[in-house]
Amino acid sequence: MNNINSIKEFERANKSIPGGVNSPVRAFKSVNTNPIFIKSAKGSKVTDIDDNQYIDFVSSWGPLILGHANDKIIDSITKAAQKGTSYGAPTVYETEMAEMIVKMIPSIEKVRMVNSGTEATMSAIRLARGYTKRDSFIKFAGNYHGHGDSFLIKAGSGAITFGLPDSPGVTQASAKDTLIADYNNIDSVKKLFEEKPNEIAAVIIEPVAGNMGVVPPNKNFLKELRELTSKYGALLIFDEVITGFRLAKGGAQEYFGVMPDLTTLGKIIGGGLPVGAYGGKKEIMDNLAPEGPIYQAGTLSGNPLAMAAGLCMLNELNSNETIYNELEHKAKKLEEGILKNIKITNTKAILNRVGSMMTLFFTESEKVSSYDEAVSSDTEKYAKYFKMALDSGIYLAPSQFECLFVSFAHTDEDIDKAINANLAALSAL
Ligand code: KE4
């Protein structure tokens, strides 16, 4: 691929933006490649500023489950924009969005809109601490919950990618209340509760890990977490920023049948605009200002453009009964194609898939069901694989520790092309 203009623009961007990007993983550093600058996107395709077109499996990191520039979503944003962009006052849009979320997410009785997944998780932890009057909380090594100070301990996503699980700038004071357990290891959680039976406000988890690559929960792991948190009076928080509305209309909690006390949402809920949300039982949520004493606020929270886009997205997901079956069909076809290629080329790799999210790990391990197994992957090999895929017009996550997302816009032809590109790349590795 000719990417002379992306190279030039990256040099230019580095002069005024740290690392040339507004979010680290976009710099393609871990895949030793110059990032591509996108100029437009439609459906399953993105086009860069050198006019190279790619089949996109990054999906803006998850939001675009209906594909890029969905006509109905664009129309809803355009119509809303003609009536103004933000009022800083209540709108009926926000009530409609809240009612839609309450209808779709089984455990949510009340919900508060924010502007990102990071804001949602930061606010959920503050709410849990205020509600339980306890300071500590448990997260899992390799899970990523945004860049709030207390989460950047053994974090996933870009933090693992750049080997920065414990970011400088996070003080010991804020880190001391973050306890780390091992994903899929219920004994590591039990041990923390036994050590601090009355100090733990919450356990926050990605119900399907996406930020160490896709790592599904072992059978009963979520159920055992639910029992343990209830036993010790701690809140169970599902961080469904990725899984929400992706694994099912009701997210992972519907998919696995385990109900958390609080749920954080983002990505899909905004239809591609900046939106996050957190919600749960009304007895917990009613502790938030102005109803209760726990403070959280935001100038643009629930703004009309994001609500219009998000409402349109959720209405589409609600109205089309076949969307989740079709997503499953597309993703299963891609999975089966890659598994066949792994066999044909005798590649040491593991493919983890849950619904329309998956990750191909280059590892000698027989399985990838833990953080340690995930980080044992060969990131150099992944980098070579990524570049070969990109050169053949397939845009994958520029990190071993992220997801490949299948969207409703991916056609059978797109999936066949991705399978063929995968075979060529695995054969060449
Ligand atoms: P944002 O603040 O980026 O909207 O959401 C943070 C967040 C919270 N929880 C989960 C489970 C998440 O996956 C994320 C953000 N995901 C990463 C990629 N896996 C965002 C991409 C980026 O950092 O550029």
Side-chain angles (χ1 to χ4, degrees), residues 16 116 143 150 152 176 191 202 239 252 260 291 347 387 421 429:
S16 52
S116 69
N143 274 192
S150 52
L152 289 181
K176 71 175 174 42
K191 185 168 175 294
D239 178 354
E291 187 74 21
T347 303
K387 186 72 173 72
L429 276 174

Side-chain angles (χ1 to χ4, degrees), residues 23 25 61 116-118 144-146 157 211 239 241-242 267 402:
S23 199
V25 71
W61 306 97
S116 69
T118 293
Y144 178 72
H145 304 291
S157 184
N211 288 294
D239 178 354
V241 167
I242 288 181
K267 296 186 195 275
E402 296 286 356

